[in-house]
Amino acid sequence: MSLPARAKKSPMMKTLMARLALPLIAAMTLVPAVLTPARAEITITLDRANFQPLPIAVTNFGGDVEFGARIAEVITANLRRCGYFVPIDAQAFVEPSPAFDAAPQFSAWQAINAQALVTGRVTREGGGRLKAEFRLWDVFAGQQLTGQQYFADPNNWRRIAHIISDAIFTRITGLKGFFDTRVVFVDESGPKEARRKRLAIMDQDGANLRYLTRGEDLVVTPRFSPVAQEITFMSQRTGEQPHVQLLNLDTGQREIVGNFPDMTSSPRFSPDGQRIVMSLQQGGNANIYIMDLRSRTTTRITSTNAIDTSPSFSPDGARIAFESDRGGRQQIYVMNVDGSDVQRVSFGEGSYAQPVWSPRGDYIAFTRQKGGTFSIGIMRPDGTGERILTEGFHNEGPSWAPNGQYLMFWRDPGGQGGGKLYMVDVTGRVEVPVPTPSFGSDPAWSPLLTDVR
């Protein structure tokens, strides 16, 4: 089957000038590359049965030795973890840190089978800013594929590395990047009988972790706004009903979404960030509601005697996927945003839950329980093309990367241990752990930080 991840020969990158208007890295700017890229010859085709990761050499960036080595290390780790590249051991390099302003010795890099080469330079500018430059080379074609430079506060050197990683990933695979992102999740610590659960946020590689709640409340199902520095999640204080809350990541301000007498759960933002879709329990039933965050008006869009929950918008905002036991067992359904034209789309063995629409719109991810096995899988929005990506004792909570090529989920092995986060790609070939300080569950992937206000 042909996957949407099939690489294309990207057109030459145009010269760019942009400012990243995020408080996180407001000092960083993207400016014209120092060289004009030539026509690319390298491609990666992911839908081949005999797919092999691309050998790539990432050299230490010259100039400022300390920051140059750090940035190269993070880029190397990113490319290795994504599964589509094999970074070559630096001990094999003929030129550990090639001159940035000259073409590499291509024959020397060909001798160690480096098909792609990354060179760079980091220097200090006036006022203490870092200037980071990189070039991506096609070794066997002897051509530069792209080259860019960035300016940033030294404290944001890791983000420079993630942005460069995205540029390399996109130029070679033809896919949108995902390294310049963050993950919010539930950090769990302490004995299994009395776990302390706190919301935590970190870079997608586990760095720069900080806690968003202190652990007084039970917190689950955090979700990022696609356009703003906000998350929504469900919170419950002892003796009270669970409620959906909003948290502004910049200010730390929290507010309850609606004053409902019964339990609200499974919140998720609309693609424009202006609405939240959620489930509201009423007696033994639960139905799907949409709240407009500006007017705070609420619209009920399902009305059954079943449990309808885990709603997720399609990327165009026109449809909603959700889970329901209206047929006797949990299955996945799709409907128009007004609740009309409800169609069941899951028909395999077992129970289907936690549907999440891909940012590309091509797949719906899900959790499937069959016997004692929990699987993470994907299917097309009409239910065809179902594929199980990973399975085991307990896997839950799929969340899409903003490029629609990877999913993050959590796995609990049972016993006295706890959940751990993992990343898997849509081919099922790549599965790697995501580092957290203790146990973790309910991951949610942010949009690319350059796409967020």
Side-chain angles (χ1 to χ4, degrees):
M1 180 174 60
S2 179
L3 298 179
R6 182 175 179 83
K8 300 177 181 178
K9 290 187 178 180
S10 306
M12 288 192 297
M13 280 193 171
K14 297 179 179 179
T15 301
L16 298 175
M17 176 73 78
R19 178 168 296 275
L20 308 183
L22 280 176
L24 177 69
I25 191 167
M28 181 180 291
T29 55
L30 181 63
V31 302
V34 294
L35 286 182
T36 302
R39 178 176 174 79
E41 297 298 333
I42 294 178
T43 59
I44 292 181
T45 304
L46 301 174
D47 58 356
R48 290 180 180 171
N50 61 347
F51 165 76
Q52 294 293 325
L54 183 80
I56 188 169
V58 181
T59 64
N60 282 344
F61 286 24
D64 188 301
V65 176
E66 179 184 2
F67 280 108
R70 288 181 184 179
I71 289 173
E73 182 180 9
V74 171
I75 294 170
T76 300
N78 281 338
L79 297 179
R80 177 181 292 112
R81 193 172 61 257
C82 81
Y84 298 164
F85 301 86
V86 177
I88 296 172
D89 192 324
Q91 293 183 350
F93 293 178
V94 177
E95 300 176 280
S97 185
F100 184 74
D101 291 325
Q105 300 176 26
F106 292 114
S107 60
W109 295 103
Q110 291 169 8
I112 61 172
N113 196 37
Q115 296 186 35
L117 171 67
V118 180
T119 62
R121 178 171 60 195
V122 181
T123 52
R124 295 270 189 167
E125 295 287 296
R129 291 192 312 168
L130 287 183
K131 176 184 178 182
E133 305 166 272
F134 87 96
R135 289 174 169 178
L136 174 64
W137 303 89
D138 182 330
V139 172
F140 284 86
Q143 298 175 337
Q144 180 185 324
L145 303 183
T146 189
Q148 297 177 7
Q149 56 184 315
Y150 307 90
F151 296 90
D153 184 282
N155 292 327
N156 292 319
W157 68 268
R158 290 190 67 91
R159 193 167 168 215
I160 295 176
H162 293 321
I163 292 173
I164 293 174
S165 300
D166 280 332
I168 295 167
F169 181 89
T170 297
R171 189 63 186 87
I172 294 179
T173 68
L175 300 167
K176 190 175 181 180
F178 70 100
F179 298 114
D180 184 29
T181 58
R182 294 187 288 177
V183 176
V184 64
F185 67 102
V186 178
D187 175 87
E188 303 184 20
S189 59
K192 195 152 193 172
E193 302 77 25
R195 285 276 159 83
R196 184 187 188 192
K197 296 189 175 185
R198 293 177 290 177
L199 283 186
I201 191 170
M202 63 184 182
D203 295 350
Q204 51 78 29
D205 60 354
N208 294 325
L209 181 136
R210 64 186 175 98
Y211 294 100
L212 303 175
T213 61
R214 294 180 293 184
E216 298 98 333
D217 303 344
L218 173 69
V219 288
V220 293
T221 61
R223 303 288 181 253
F224 270 98
S225 166
V227 296
Q229 292 290 301
E230 286 185 323
I231 61 171
T232 182
F233 62 98
M234 191 178 80
S235 175
Q236 182 179 24
R237 185 156 291 184
T238 302
E240 298 180 4
Q241 287 282 6
H243 291 289
V244 172
Q245 296 200 24
L246 283 176
L247 171 62
N248 186 297
L249 294 174
D250 291 333
T251 65
Q253 181 179 348
R254 291 171 60 173
E255 60 178 310
I256 293 176
V257 178
N259 187 23
F260 303 106
D262 298 306
M263 182 176 74
T264 51
S265 63
S266 306
R268 198 175 291 272
F269 285 96
S270 61
D272 61 5
Q274 298 300 315
R275 295 169 293 167
I276 285 181
V277 63
M278 56 191 168
S279 180
L280 174 59
Q281 181 176 329
Q282 296 165 311
N285 305 327
N287 283 284
I288 308 295
Y289 287 74
I290 293 179
M291 172 176 278
D292 185 293
L293 292 175
R294 291 168 295 186
S295 66
R296 296 302 169 112
T297 57
T298 304
T299 304
R300 179 173 176 168
I301 58 172
T302 68
S303 183
T304 69
N305 293 322
I307 296 177
D308 297 342
T309 188
S310 297
S312 174
F313 280 98
S314 61
D316 62 3
R319 292 185 291 171
I320 292 173
F322 65 101
E323 69 174 82
S324 177
D325 64 355
R326 61 182 63 191
R329 169 180 268 183
Q330 284 175 301
Q331 298 292 342
I332 295 174
Y333 294 79
V334 172
M335 62 182 170
N336 292 333
V337 72
D338 62 359
S340 64
D341 193 25
V342 179
Q343 298 178 3
R344 176 177 163 181
V345 296
S346 61
F347 293 96
E349 297 182 17
S351 300
Y352 290 73
Q354 301 175 329
V356 190
W357 222 301
S358 164
R360 293 194 301 227
D362 51 354
Y363 286 113
I364 293 173
F366 59 84
T367 300
R368 187 186 76 178
Q369 181 182 4
K370 180 184 175 184
T373 299
F374 286 78
S375 306
I376 302 296
I378 57 176
M379 65 173 68
R380 295 191 183 96
D382 62 1
T384 61
E386 180 178 325
R387 183 188 309 120
I388 298 299
L389 304 179
T390 187
E391 56 187 358
F393 171 71
H394 194 146
N395 299 296
E396 271 196 70
S399 176
W400 287 100
N403 65 358
Q405 188 67 17
Y406 294 86
L407 287 157
M408 199 172 290
F409 65 98
W410 65 279
R411 172 179 293 152
D412 190 338
Q416 288 300 306
K420 292 290 185 181
L421 307 188
Y422 289 82
M423 181 179 81
V424 63
D425 81 328
V426 294
T427 71
R429 295 192 190 100
V430 178
E431 183 179 312
V432 294
V434 179
T436 57
S438 52
F439 301 126
S441 62
D442 285 344
W445 222 318
S446 80
L448 277 175
L449 295 183
T450 48
D451 293 342
V452 178
R453 292 196 297 265

